[in-house]
Amino acid sequence: MANTNKKYEPEFKRKIARLYLEGGRTIESINKEYHLGDGTMRIWARKYQEECADSPTQKEELDTLAEIRRLKKELEDNGIRVNLVSAGC
């Protein structure tokens, strides 16, 4: 069961959001690994997307994450598994 009173650092929240937005990880797998509540990761991902939309540099990072996700899906559709780590915004 997730600890509802735990506080997380902003950088940790962004890292978790990038794991999901980059693709290759489901919300459920991230929640399970990091012991997060059901809606926590979705909230963090949405806030991260909003932050990135407010800044041209961060918007570019969000666009890059979307492109990584698209390319990973394309590779996986062709039977190739890829695991990347991004620097994030």
Side-chain angles (χ1 to χ4, degrees):
M1 186 166 144
N3 181 351
T4 58
N5 296 321
K6 188 160 183 173
K7 301 292 182 199
Y8 296 93
E9 294 295 322
E11 184 54 38
F12 177 77
K13 293 177 182 182
R14 286 189 291 271
K15 174 188 170 188
I16 298 300
R18 286 192 305 265
L19 282 175
Y20 171 67
L21 294 170
E22 178 181 284
R25 296 289 305 269
T26 64
I27 290 173
E28 293 78 20
S29 73
I30 294 169
N31 285 345
K32 184 176 180 180
E33 181 177 342
Y34 292 96
H35 308 286
L36 302 173
D38 291 336
T40 302
M41 214 290 308
R42 283 184 172 86
I43 292 168
W44 293 353
R46 187 177 343 106
K47 286 183 179 180
Y48 180 78
Q49 288 174 312
E50 290 169 0
E51 287 175 13
C52 288
D54 291 340
S55 163
T57 304
Q58 291 179 327
K59 171 79 170 85
E60 185 177 314
E61 176 65 23
L62 191 59
D63 292 343
T64 300
L65 289 174
E67 179 67 2
I68 289 170
R69 185 178 198 146
R70 184 191 69 76
L71 291 170
K72 284 177 77 172
K73 178 163 179 17
E74 185 177 318
L75 288 170
E76 288 173 0
D77 288 348
N78 290 307
I80 302 170
R81 177 108 170 98
V82 176
N83 190 10
L84 300 174
V85 177
S86 65
C89 61

